[in-house]
């Protein structure tokens, strides 16, 4: 969570506290448990994540906002639930398709770097219904494939030797991938999350000459880069 996301959450909590306080003092009578209030549990977090500039890929959050708003309108009898079910799958498919096209077009450099490196063969690190932690202290690192399926993979590169460039292809399906990178590198990340998230907490610096290219895909999972 970046500073801007924290500010947005702070505003939400302050507003909630003010309303509860004013209601307690009988100054206002705002009903917080209005019909369909539970849809805000879906809408607010997804809406805030859309403004999180350090997150790569917004498909899941965008779908979450659309679904949450649609459910709220249905609960309030503004639209019918049958209409939601008819349009839900087409909306999701269109959103995912647009996200894939956008990522491939805008972040083609990351894709090409990963493809080139894959021709020479990359180390495979896999966790299926299990967890695996790999530490590369003092080792020369050029790249790796990270695959997590109902499990977790942690790759620690903080003390690894990176000559100029390195590539990582990460996939998390109902699981998680955690990548720790050195402080003296820049990151180029392409994220394709489907009901998941790709979080990049690294701040690039102009003086850093080394670069790590990360192509991350997650479905009902997450990829965290720290």
């Amino acid at each position: 969570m970046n500073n801007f996301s924290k500010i947005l959450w702070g505003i939400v909590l302050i507003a909630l506290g003010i309303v509860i306080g004013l209601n307690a003092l009988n100054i206002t009578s705002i009903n917080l448990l209005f019909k369909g209030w539970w849809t805000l549990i879906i809408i607010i977090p997804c809406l805030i994540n859309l403004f999180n500039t350090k997150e790569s890929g917004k498909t899941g959050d965008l779908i979450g906002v659309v679904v949450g708003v649609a459910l709220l309108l249905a609960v309030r009898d503004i639209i019918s639930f049958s209409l939601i079910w008819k349009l839900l799958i087409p909306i999701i498919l269109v959103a995912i398709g647009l996200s894939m096209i956008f990522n491939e077009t805008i972040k083609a450099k990351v894709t090409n770097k990963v493809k080139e490196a894959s021709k020479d063969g990359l180390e495979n690190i896999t966790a299926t219904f299990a967890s695996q932690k790999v530490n590369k202290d003092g080792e020369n690192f050029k790249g790796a494939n990270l695959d997590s399926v109902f499990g977790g993979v942690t790759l620690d590169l903080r003390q690894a030797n990176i000559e100029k460039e390195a590539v990582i292809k990460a996939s998390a399906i109902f699981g998680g991938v955690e990548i720790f990178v050195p402080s003296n590198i820049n990151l180029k990340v392409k994220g394709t999350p489907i009901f998941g998230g790709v979080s990049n907490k690294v701040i690039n610096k102009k003086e850093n000459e080394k670069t790590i290219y990360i192509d991350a895909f997650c479905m009902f999972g997450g990829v965290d880069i720290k």
Side-chain angles (χ1 to χ4, degrees):
M1 183 185 294
N2 65 8
N3 291 333
F4 188 64
S5 294
K6 291 178 182 178
I7 291 172
L8 290 178
W9 275 113
I11 292 172
V12 170
L13 294 176
I14 290 171
L16 182 61
I18 290 174
V19 170
I20 292 175
L22 292 175
N23 284 348
L25 295 172
N26 295 320
I27 298 175
T28 61
S29 57
I30 300 173
N31 182 14
L32 294 175
L33 298 179
F34 59 88
K35 188 177 181 181
W37 65 269
W38 52 270
T39 59
L40 296 181
I41 298 175
I42 302 173
I43 296 171
I44 292 176
C46 291
L47 190 61
I48 290 176
N49 283 339
L50 285 176
F51 292 95
N52 188 351
T53 57
K54 294 301 292 181
E55 295 289 333
S56 298
K58 310 290 185 180
T59 308
D61 295 316
L62 181 58
I63 292 173
V65 171
V66 172
V67 171
V69 171
L71 289 174
L72 177 60
L73 295 175
V75 171
R76 304 288 295 182
D77 298 322
I78 298 175
I79 61 176
S80 65
F81 277 103
S82 61
L83 180 61
I84 291 177
W85 287 117
K86 288 179 181 178
L87 297 178
L88 184 60
I89 293 179
I91 289 173
I92 291 175
L93 291 176
V94 170
I96 292 173
L98 288 174
S99 174
M100 289 181 173
I101 292 172
F102 178 82
N103 276 331
E104 288 297 330
T105 303
I106 302 301
K107 298 191 175 180
K109 185 176 181 180
V110 175
T111 302
N112 292 335
K113 286 285 184 180
V114 174
K115 286 182 178 179
E116 289 174 9
S118 299
K119 294 178 181 179
D120 299 327
L122 296 175
E123 176 184 2
N124 293 313
I125 302 173
T126 305
T128 304
F129 292 98
S131 62
Q132 185 170 177
K133 295 182 179 181
V134 178
N135 191 308
K136 293 293 184 179
D137 286 3
E139 297 183 29
N140 293 325
F141 180 79
K142 293 184 178 180
N145 286 318
L146 311 179
D147 292 303
S148 171
V149 181
F150 290 97
V153 171
T154 299
L155 177 63
D156 192 340
L157 301 174
R158 285 174 290 187
Q159 301 300 323
N161 298 322
I162 299 174
E163 291 184 3
K164 188 175 180 181
E165 295 181 347
V167 300
I168 296 174
K169 189 172 184 180
S171 174
I173 301 176
F174 289 97
V177 173
E178 194 173 30
I179 305 170
F180 293 93
V181 300
S183 59
N184 63 337
I185 60 95
N186 287 318
L187 278 183
K188 300 293 183 182
V189 181
K190 171 193 167 187
T192 307
I194 301 175
F195 294 106
V198 179
S199 174
N200 174 16
K201 299 180 175 67
V202 178
I203 299 175
N204 288 334
K205 298 178 181 179
K206 292 182 179 179
E207 63 268 22
N208 294 337
E209 297 180 354
K210 301 176 182 179
T211 304
I212 295 180
Y213 297 89
I214 299 179
D215 188 350
F217 170 82
C218 57
M219 179 182 290
F220 296 99
V223 176
D224 292 323
I225 309 163
K226 304 175 181 179

